[in-house]
Structures are given as C-alpha cells and as structure tokens.
Amino acid sequence: MATFVVLMGGPGAGKGTQAKRLERELGIPQIATGDLFRENLQNNTELGQTARKYMDAGELVPDEVTIGMVRQRLSGEGRSQGAIFDGFPRTCPQAEALEALLAEWGEKLAVVLYINVRRDVLLQRLAGRWTCPICGRVYHVLFNPPKEAGVCDVDGGKLFQRADDTEETQRRRIDVYFEQTAPVLDYYREQGMLVEIDGEQSIEEVTESLVAAIRDAT
Ligand code: AP5
C-alpha cells in the first residue's frame, strides 16, 4: 500500500518547505493544491481563471473545484507512490471527499501532521519568503537565505515573491485559516489521526519530527 500523509498548518507554517524535504527523504511526492492552482494560472486555463479571484483575495477556492482538481491529479498513475498533501484538505467537505477518494482505490490516510506556528511568527515568515520559479524551493531572507541573494541554490532560478504575499492578503489568508481550516484539525483529532509538531523549531528539527511521526504511523 502507498503512503498518504496530510500536512496541515497556517499560511507560512512551513508546509511547502517541509513537503519538499519529505519528498526527498521518503520518496513520497508532494501534492500542493496552491501550486496546482498557480500552475493553472500560469498556463491560463479555465481552472486557473476561476481560482485567481479567490487566491488574490486570500479566500478559499470553492470545494467542488478543489476536489475535482485533486481527483484528477490522483487518477491513473498519479497515486501509485502515495502523496504528501500540502494545503489540502482545508475544509471538512474536502476532508470527507479525500477519505472517500482514497477508499474508492482501497487506500487510506496514514497520519495527519499539524505544523503548529503562532500567528505573529506566520506573518514574519510570509514577509520574507522568496520562491524559485523552476523547482519551487522556498527561501527566507533571514531564516533560510539562498547562498547568493535572489538566486536558487539548486538550479540558479531567479527568485520571486508570490502574488498573494501582499500584507493585506497575508492577513486575510491567516484569518481564513483560523476560521475555516481549524475545524478540520478537530475533525482529524476526533478520529485520533492528528499528530501535532512544534513548527517553531529549526527547519531541520521540524523535518526530523515529521519523519519520526510518519515512520511511527506506517
Ligand atoms: P497555498 O499555496 O497552500 O498557501 P498557504 O497555505 O497560504 O501556505 P503557504 O504556501 O503560504 O505557506 P507554507 O506553509 O507552505 O510555508 P512555506 O514553506 O512557504 O494556498 C494559496 C491559496 O490557494 C489559498 O489562499 C487559496 O486561495 C488557494 N488554495 C490552496 N489550497 C486550497 C484548498 N485546499 N482549498 C481551497 N483553496 C485552496 O514557508 C514560509 C516561509 O517561512 C519561507 O520563507 C520559509 O523559508 C520559512 N520557514 C519555513 N519553515 C521555517 C522554520 N522552521 N523556521 C524559520 N523559517 C521557516
């Protein structure tokens, strides 16, 4: 059976940073709904156009659009190596849909990992974030700087700041997270599937805690 893991945490908690490290460490591919929406935006697809107005406002994209996109990503060979879900599910209907999708294919979630970071730290992290357009690796001007300013260590990509990283949108995304995604934590907590990780440790320590929790669960 393939391993399916959910990574939860507020905007800036380190989900993307950690999903990429877990992908390298454990060989389980990252499925990040935010990245899938951004790819669609870049390719100017209808899905991208639908998602844009929600993303720019810091609101959630409607469930049916998000669930349909994840179903498509997982169909066929897309699920054979399992998945680290980054930023999905974000609502209880999405959590129920994921459970049903996996059950359809005789699979289930191994564990849900909650990277817990306080609101003021989330804001500090989002304010200094830079991303590589080629490999998606994420840097921070203070906490995780590239060797050469503005350039990706791995492939030399010219780092950029995300369109939804304006101060106003960052604050709205954090509010939306605490209002609409916190109930998903309770949903998984009640099922005994939630493991909480201190997300204010160093990047390396967070990875170690996550790897240990995944190994315990599988
Ligand atoms: P999405 O792309 O998922 O964004 P997000 O949840 O707001 O999360 P981020 O990507 O901003 O943060 P992260 O936790 O990945 O942190 P990172 O690793 O970058 O979603 C964007 C939008 O798409 C949503 O607003 C919504 O509109 C839509 N969407 C996506 N999924 C959806 C869904 N399921 N349903 C509906 N709509 C959806 O780290 C942040 C910074 O901190 C970096 O600079 C990093 O270097 C630094 N850092 C990381 N870890 C540490 C550490 N331990 N110590 C110090 N610095 C650290």
Side-chain angles (χ1 to χ4, degrees):
M1 239 165 104
T3 302
F4 293 89
V5 172
V6 168
L7 271 192
M8 293 190 65
K15 301 180 298 294
T17 301
Q18 295 298 335
K20 292 237 168 321
R21 292 171 66 90
L22 293 173
E23 192 174 58
R24 290 197 294 277
E25 181 104 6
L26 303 171
I28 308 172
Q30 170 196 28
I31 296 185
T33 39
D35 290 349
L36 293 176
F37 286 132
R38 280 184 287 278
E39 265 169 46
N40 273 279
L41 259 177
Q42 214 170 3
N43 297 331
N44 211 13
T45 67
E46 207 181 312
L47 179 78
Q49 290 310 320
T50 307
R52 180 197 295 272
K53 59 177 185 290
Y54 298 98
M55 296 176 80
D56 285 351
E59 303 293 337
L60 295 183
V61 178
D63 283 341
E64 65 275 16
V65 177
T66 309
I67 293 164
M69 180 178 72
V70 172
R71 171 183 272 280
Q72 194 183 9
R73 170 66 183 75
L74 285 172
S75 44
E77 284 306 294
R79 60 178 181 275
S80 57
Q81 292 167 281
I84 297 166
F85 294 105
D86 159 2
F88 179 86
R90 266 171 147 100
T91 62
C92 290
Q94 289 183 17
E96 286 159 9
L98 177 60
E99 207 174 307
L101 269 181
L102 292 178
E104 226 177 86
W105 299 314
E107 304 281 2
K108 61 182 171 68
L109 281 181
V111 66
V112 178
L113 301 160
Y114 170 39
I115 307 178
N116 192 359
V117 174
R118 285 167 300 166
R119 185 189 173 96
D120 56 327
V121 179
L122 293 176
L123 279 167
Q124 270 176 12
R125 291 207 186 154
L126 291 176
R129 170 171 61 189
W130 289 83
T131 306
C132 174
I134 300 170
C135 67
R137 198 169 289 232
V138 176
Y139 296 88
H140 191 281
V141 278
L142 300 177
F143 310 138
N144 183 27
K147 292 190 184 98
E148 186 187 336
V151 179
C152 178
D153 293 348
V154 181
D155 51 34
K158 192 170 177 298
L159 304 182
F160 74 100
Q161 282 195 298
R162 270 172 38 182
D164 62 349
D165 268 349
T166 63
E167 204 180 324
E168 190 190 342
T169 313
Q170 286 167 358
R171 287 185 189 279
R172 182 62 196 146
R173 278 160 54 211
I174 292 175
D175 288 343
V176 165
Y177 172 78
F178 284 109
E179 286 159 18
Q180 297 179 39
T181 302
V184 183
L185 293 175
D186 294 334
Y187 174 89
Y188 286 126
R189 196 175 281 119
E190 278 160 24
Q191 293 184 29
M193 294 187 69
L194 193 76
V195 176
E196 189 164 327
I197 304 290
D198 174 6
E200 294 185 24
Q201 307 174 89
S202 70
I203 291 176
E204 293 73 20
E205 286 166 331
V206 175
T207 309
E208 280 167 27
S209 305
L210 293 169
V211 168
I214 294 170
R215 294 217 161 112
D216 266 1
T218 51

